[in-house]
Amino acid sequence: MRVVSLVPSLTEAVAVSAPGLLAGVTDWCTHPAAGLGGAVRVGGTKNPDVRAVAELRPDLVIANEEENRAPDLAALRAAGLEVLVTEVRDLPQAFGELDRVLVGALGLERPEWLDRAEEAWAAVEPAADLTAFVPIWRRPWMVLGRDTFAGDLLARLGVRNVHAGHPERYPRVPVEELAGSGCDLVVLPDEPYRFTADDGPEAFPGLPAALVSGRHLTWYGPSLVEAPRVLAAAVRAAR
């Protein structure tokens, strides 16, 4: 079977579970760290080269309703390709979609790492009761709002996103409003914007900043096995 993945998380999930299936991946697909073999790069998640994908003659294109644009997916279907579109808004849905892709669509045996990921999250006991806001971009400042996978993960660790009730999923919020929100900490992931110790915390003087791995906060794949430990450690280090 030949697969093109337009989602970095799913690229890693397929590559770890069945090396050799991937015929094409995006420019943003960086894991597994050992490499993606001979998979062809087909552009970005938001601007894939439809012709390049079609020329690979995949049996299946894997996409996501948030990461990929509807016009690109429509163009792929118009080219005669089968496109499976996932939706991931919380952890249970992520587990369900991973099973749907790997077992249902690709016909693989359920991977052992997926069982370990479910066990790791089932064992989580919130070690904190904290409020936070979670910037994902600056210039302009944008934060996690309602109905997000990353927000659900943080909530399971005892970190409540104060913008979880916002009508938008990724609202723009003035930095002055963020700094004066009265939260216990700010959570700064290193993707999609690469926040670092020198780029981000200085905007919120006096507020503890948890610098976290974006892959562990926003990816749904093998990283979910270690995500509870990694994210909890980052929150503890900030307090």
Side-chain angles (χ1 to χ4, degrees), residues 135 138 141 186-191 193-204 209-212:
R138 67 183 301 176
W141 286 92
V186 52
V187 177
L188 296 170
D190 61 10
E191 62 174 82
Y193 185 91
R194 187 173 180 78
F195 288 106
T196 68
D198 300 318
D199 186 355
E202 81 290 342
F204 312 105
L211 295 165
V212 304

Side-chain angles (χ1 to χ4, degrees), residues 1 56 105 110 126 148 196:
M1 192 171 190
L56 290 173
R110 183 178 168 88
T148 66
T196 68

Side-chain angles (χ1 to χ4, degrees), residues 3 13 38 42 90 104-105 117 133 141 145 183 194 196 199-200 208 234:
V3 177
V42 296
D90 59 28
F133 56 91
W141 286 92
C183 287
R194 187 173 180 78
T196 68
D199 186 355

Side-chain angles (χ1 to χ4, degrees), residues 9 67 149-150 153 189 191-192 213-220:
S9 300
E67 294 197 49
F149 173 70
L153 294 195
E191 62 174 82
S213 160
R215 176 169 165 265
H216 291 98
L217 181 63
T218 65
W219 287 36
Y220 34 92

Side-chain angles (χ1 to χ4, degrees), residues 90-230:
D90 59 28
L91 184 62
Q93 193 174 30
F95 287 140
E97 290 290 64
L98 286 165
D99 189 270
R100 181 167 76 103
V101 170
L102 299 172
V103 180
L106 301 185
L108 304 176
E109 291 188 9
R110 183 178 168 88
E112 181 265 346
W113 64 259
L114 187 50
D115 290 330
R116 288 195 291 123
E118 288 193 330
E119 292 167 2
W121 280 98
V124 166
E125 295 183 5
D129 182 13
L130 305 170
T131 58
F133 56 91
V134 190
I136 56 169
W137 204 257
R138 67 183 301 176
R139 306 182 193 93
W141 286 92
M142 299 175 66
V143 299
L144 292 184
R146 65 168 180 85
D147 196 22
T148 66
F149 173 70
D152 184 54
L153 294 195
L154 289 172
R156 292 169 187 275
L157 296 170
V159 180
R160 180 172 61 84
N161 173 20
V162 295
H163 296 103
H166 197 284
E168 297 178 24
R169 295 187 69 214
Y170 303 103
R172 297 185 181 187
V173 181
V175 66
E176 298 81 10
E177 183 177 331
L178 294 174
S181 63
C183 287
D184 297 307
L185 78 162
V186 52
V187 177
L188 296 170
D190 61 10
E191 62 174 82
Y193 185 91
R194 187 173 180 78
F195 288 106
T196 68
D198 300 318
D199 186 355
E202 81 290 342
F204 312 105
L207 186 64
L211 295 165
V212 304
S213 160
R215 176 169 165 265
H216 291 98
L217 181 63
T218 65
W219 287 36
Y220 34 92
S223 58
L224 285 171
V225 175
E226 58 186 14
R229 174 181 56 80
V230 172

